């Protein structure tokens, strides 16, 4: 039997932004401590702002803001208003940036060594549990007749705790 060898490519395998982003989301939700430490280590070795994690954190903030802005529309409480959705996303982006600036400043005052790009990335990923609020709200409205609406505050409290843990 003759063995054939396949040529090995010397080019690095390029992974698209979307594959990296979904992988980062998965790592944030399943193994956050290890992922967050790898983000900090990566940003300690890279001084520029052009890192994939900042863009991915931005994507997480926009995703969460869009889903939370569309939640009343999805559960049928209000009609779609594109201006409100746009303002919610803009407000979330401003809050994200100010939050990172504030934490970075407090860390600097207390002799911390947090980098702004690490904070932006990690705060974006820490907001990911709020993605699950929309399915929780849908379950609440669909099963209100059997008393499942009573469980919604506990689910929302769990999401808050999860997000606080990641923060």
């Amino acid at each position: 039997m003759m063995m054939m060898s396949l040529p090995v490519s010397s080019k690095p395998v390029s992974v698209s932004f979307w594959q990296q982003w979904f992988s980062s989301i998965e790592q944030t939700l399943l193994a956050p401590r290890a992922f967050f430490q790898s983000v900090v280590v990566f940003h300690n070795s890279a001084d520029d702002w052009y890192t994939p994690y900042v863009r991915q954190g931005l994507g997480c903030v926009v995703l969460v803001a869009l889903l939370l802005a569309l939640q009343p529309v999805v559960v049928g409480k209000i009609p779609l208003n594109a201006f409100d959705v746009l303002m919610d996303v803009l407000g979330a982006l401003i809050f994200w940036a100010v939050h990172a600036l504030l934490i970075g400043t407090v860390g600097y005052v207390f002799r911390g060594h947090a980098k702004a790009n690490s904070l932006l990335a990690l705060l974006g990923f820490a907001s990911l549990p709020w993605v699950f609020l929309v399915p929780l709200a849908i379950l609440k409205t669909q099963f209100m007749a059997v008393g499942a609406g009573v469980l919604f505050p506990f689910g929302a409290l769990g999401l808050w705790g999860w997000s606080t843990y990641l923060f």
Side-chain angles (χ1 to χ4, degrees), residues 40 43-44 103-119:
V40 171
H43 282 150
N44 284 338
I103 291 174
T105 303
V106 169
Y108 179 76
V109 167
F110 290 107
R111 308 266 190 241
H113 300 287
K115 288 187 157 192
N117 53 5
S118 292
L119 286 172

Side-chain angles (χ1 to χ4, degrees), residues 6-38:
L6 297 174
V8 178
S9 171
S10 63
K11 287 194 236 176
V13 176
S14 67
V15 180
S16 74
F17 170 79
W18 299 106
Q19 289 173 328
Q20 288 178 347
W21 188 47
F22 288 124
S23 174
S24 297
I25 288 173
E26 177 185 17
Q27 291 175 20
T28 299
L29 298 177
L30 299 178
R33 183 177 302 263
F35 176 66
F36 282 11
Q37 288 173 350
S38 70

Side-chain angles (χ1 to χ4, degrees), residues 75 81 154:
V75 296
N81 185 348
F154 296 111

Side-chain angles (χ1 to χ4, degrees), residues 6 15 19 21 28 30 50 55 61 64 67-68 87 91 103 105 108 111 132 145 150 158 162 166:
L6 297 174
V15 180
Q19 289 173 328
W21 188 47
T28 299
L30 299 178
Y50 193 67
R55 289 177 288 161
V61 170
V64 169
L67 287 175
L68 292 180
M87 293 311 292
I103 291 174
T105 303
Y108 179 76
R111 308 266 190 241
F132 297 107
V150 176
W162 188 9
L166 292 179

